[in-house]
Amino acid sequence: MTRRERALQTARRGGLVTVIALVGLAVVYVRAIAFTPIERTQGPAQKIFYVHAPIAWATMLAFAVTGLLSLLYLTMRDRKFDLMAAASAEVGTALGIAMLTTGPLWAKPIWGTFWTWDARLTSTLFTFLLFVGYLVLRGALSDFEVRARFSAVLGVMALVLVPFIHVTVYWFRTLHPDPVVMKPEGPSLPAVMLTTLLTSLIVCTVLYIGLVMQRYALAVLEDVREEEEAGDGIS
Amino acid sequence: MGYPENSGYMVAAYTIAAVVVLVYSVTLYFRVRRYRDR
Amino acid sequence: MAGNLLTATAAIARKDLKVEWRTKTAFMSSLVFAVLVLAVLYFARDKTSVGDFDIAPGALWVTFTFAGMLGLNRAFLLERENRALDGLRLTPVTPTALFLGKVIGNLIFLGVVELVSLPLFILFYDVPIWRQLPILLAVVALATVGYVAVGTLLSAMVVRTRFSEVMLPVLLLPFLVPPIVSAVQLTWRILALRPLSELTGWLSLLAAFDVIFFTLSLLLFEAILIE
Amino acid sequence: MAASEAAVRVHDVSRRFGHRWVVRNVSMEVFPGEAVLLVGGNGAGKTTLLRVLAGLLRANRGTVDHRGMVGMVAHHTMMYDALTARENLTFYTRLHGLPRDGRGDRLIERLGLAHAADQRIATFSRGMLQRLAIARSLLHDPDVLLFDEPLTGLDDAASRIVLDVIRELKARGAALLIATHQLVELVGETARVGYMVSGRLAALEPIGGRDAGGVVSRYKELVTDGR
């Protein structure tokens, strides 16, 4: 099986996983809208939580995977890790867009403003910008070996930075009295709401896996084409 | 009913999330397919 | 071996500063930038509603951060001129010495920009600074070390791309959040003459950031030099 | 000539940039006191091979080992325009960890640059820069010297000085590898010629009394065989 065929196979499998996840998402939608009770104090807008939190989790998972793979690439120098890290970063950025749109839509009705500098929202924003920078750096480097090494360095730095950003933003946040009455988590979720949330978490994780498999396969296919175009190798 | 009437935000958030996820999934599928024909 | 590391680091820092002293381009642009930002922030607010006190810490650190970023790239653009980096790599100088030399060069460069723009800051914002100067300078030093270490590492990468001037801020800004937010918080408390106990939290965060990211940047620097 | 002990040994070296192999399966040796010419069209891989030998580029495959220190003179001077000739050499002396015994000044003298020792090299002509680059590459008494187009852009006087230095180095037992298009001047100094054709060492053979024209026709022969 050539590298190309293996990549196409991964892509097919990834496509299947993605379809399963999308069906799962539809199920979550139906369950959240029709079969989960409306929260008394926050109203239907509270249901955004069942979509926003899992997507935020998948986004952060994607970025963490990129960071770990970057570390692996720097130690093992295997291009597979570089291509996977890049795939995970792109998927994370795409999911991040959904995260950063649903977040404020949830904050507005619940907390009164589209953007409150809540620790979690802010640190996810900075993490998102960090990995947009990662993709921008990759785009600016044509030699694939330099691109792999430099993005791995940035990936590792980003991995270590995220906890720092969270602590900084959290300390910054709690020192100012919270202007809003209700805390997002509210009382611990009743069982039916919790299961909706958990299913959504699983679905979003599966979705991430399906998308990253496809994007990784695409990265390999692009690399194979580049190699063919470069002409003959060495004896 | 007693709870604030803000379902509009929910509808907006659910649609945007679905659109983003679907658009990315579909574009990814077609980006890969371009390499499949040869 | 250690002797060589010290002499090489010193030689690189000296050379950077001597070249900068001769050309002064980056220094002047950083300085002019600092004055402009201080002035703009000072005049761009309604004095009645926004007191000196509220804006001063933010103004100081926006000035230092952006003036600093202007100066960071120059360190490695210097090595790209005439491919001087190749010359360095032909000598027994280790990546560690090169990194330390560049960091020290950048620190001294930024230190001078900061020291020159600090009196301007005092001139613009009449905040009670004299008694607190030592602790304030300590905070300035701690924050600058943090972002210069990361900035030096990132600029070593960025100068090898086509648009390094734009790329450095894009990559560096997220890394500025911990040191700069801490510095602003500390500056605000220092200017408000708050007790030391209120400073320890942010000081420990700043110190932790410096130690972790200085070491990390040092370790990762070699991976950038390999061709 | 110590037949067995090569100064630099290259074994099956290949190097690629991205997916393109620029140097393919090159094996060669250069012996002390010998000058080897490396000829080939632009893009044949001469410069890349030299940079791999100098240790500036990693070989993706194969090995390079050299006995003793390496010096390199390339198209770029690897020095700092804002510094003077003397300052540049002092800087490199420090990086090599060498004693400041005036070796820089002696080399400046030897290469006919005494009159401009304290001028910034930004004001230097192409010939003066080339000679200063040679001085830089000789500071640490290297056993192996790599020249990339040493005579390009030099006037007759400067070329004569460079040729004298090459002769002197050979006499002192250094191993020289010279990539060049200026065959007329250098053929006389050469023991062997290496012909690079699209990344491969098509042939490495004694010059066999060939003059510049002879080497060129031999090269054309190899290129046609190659196709």
Side-chain angles (χ1 to χ4, degrees), chain C residues 110-187:
Chain C
L110 290 186
V112 171
V113 169
E114 285 165 356
L115 286 182
V116 168
S117 37
L118 202 57
L120 288 169
F121 169 74
I122 298 166
L123 189 69
F124 275 118
Y125 305 86
D126 47 17
V127 283
I129 197 161
W130 296 113
R131 256 199 337 283
Q132 302 289 46
L133 204 54
I135 179 81
L136 184 65
L137 291 180
V139 165
V140 168
L142 266 178
T144 308
V145 164
Y147 88 77
V148 161
V150 177
T152 302
L153 179 80
L154 294 182
S155 83
M157 290 200 283
V158 148
V159 290
R160 285 174 63 172
T161 64
R162 284 183 296 283
F163 14 75
S164 57
E165 291 315 321
V166 172
M167 187 73 80
L168 184 65
V170 166
L171 300 185
L172 184 57
L173 275 173
F175 289 94
L176 295 183
V177 166
I180 298 309
V181 167
S182 309
V184 169
Q185 288 298 319
L186 289 165
T187 310

Side-chain angles (χ1 to χ4, degrees), chain A:
Chain A
M1 261 246 283
T2 67
R3 216 175 146 215
R4 216 175 86 79
E5 282 147 5
R6 253 204 322 281
L8 287 172
Q9 187 187 41
T10 315
R12 269 192 299 279
R13 287 191 186 139
L16 188 63
V17 171
T18 307
V19 166
I20 293 168
L22 290 176
V23 168
L25 197 61
V27 167
V28 165
Y29 267 46
V30 167
R31 184 184 160 83
I33 296 167
F35 298 100
T36 313
I38 294 171
E39 213 275 346
R40 248 185 324 81
T41 52
Q42 297 175 19
Q46 181 269 346
K47 295 192 174 186
I48 299 174
F49 180 65
Y50 302 125
V51 167
H52 170 71
I55 285 184
W57 144 258
T59 306
M60 289 305 133
L61 173 68
F63 293 148
V65 164
T66 296
L68 291 171
L69 288 169
S70 299
L71 193 60
L72 270 176
Y73 175 78
L74 282 180
T75 43
M76 321 270 278
R77 281 280 190 269
D78 181 340
R79 283 219 49 228
K80 171 158 55 66
F81 298 128
D82 166 58
L83 295 177
M84 282 183 196
S88 185
E90 184 183 288
V91 171
T93 308
L95 293 177
I97 294 169
M99 168 185 77
L100 290 172
T101 43
T102 52
L105 279 172
W106 173 42
K108 179 76 171 104
I110 306 288
W111 295 338
T113 60
F114 273 111
W115 186 263
T116 69
W117 288 96
D118 162 73
R120 269 185 313 285
L121 276 182
T122 317
S123 69
T124 47
L125 171 67
F126 280 118
T127 310
F128 176 78
L129 295 174
L130 191 54
F131 280 89
V132 168
Y134 174 92
L135 293 175
V136 166
L137 177 67
R138 287 192 77 96
L141 293 163
S142 42
D143 179 325
F144 73 83
E145 271 188 325
V146 174
R147 178 171 61 219
R149 226 166 346 100
F150 282 15
S151 44
V153 166
L154 186 59
V156 170
M157 296 280 282
L159 185 67
V160 178
L161 181 66
V162 167
F164 266 98
I165 288 183
H166 197 74
V167 167
T168 310
V169 169
Y170 194 72
W171 281 6
F172 179 86
R173 189 74 199 92
T174 51
L175 300 182
H176 290 253
D178 191 330
V180 173
V181 170
M182 286 161 283
K183 274 292 195 216
E185 296 84 10
S188 62
L189 286 174
V192 68
M193 290 188 178
L194 199 57
T195 35
T196 307
L197 178 65
L198 287 180
T199 16
S200 183
L201 269 172
I202 294 162
V203 163
C204 286
T205 309
V206 171
L207 176 68
Y208 159 70
I209 293 167
L211 291 175
V212 94
M213 283 171 71
Q214 288 186 263
R215 184 59 186 80
Y216 168 63
L218 177 63
V220 172
L221 291 168
E222 281 163 351
D223 187 59
V224 165
R225 171 165 292 182
E226 236 179 69
E227 200 161 4
E228 280 156 8
E229 273 154 16
D232 59 357
I234 57 169
S235 51

Side-chain angles (χ1 to χ4, degrees), chain C residues 41-42 44-57 125:
Chain C
L41 288 176
Y42 181 76
R45 64 181 167 99
D46 169 6
K47 258 177 100 62
T48 52
S49 61
V50 179
D52 280 356
F53 212 78
D54 307 324
I55 197 162
Y125 305 86

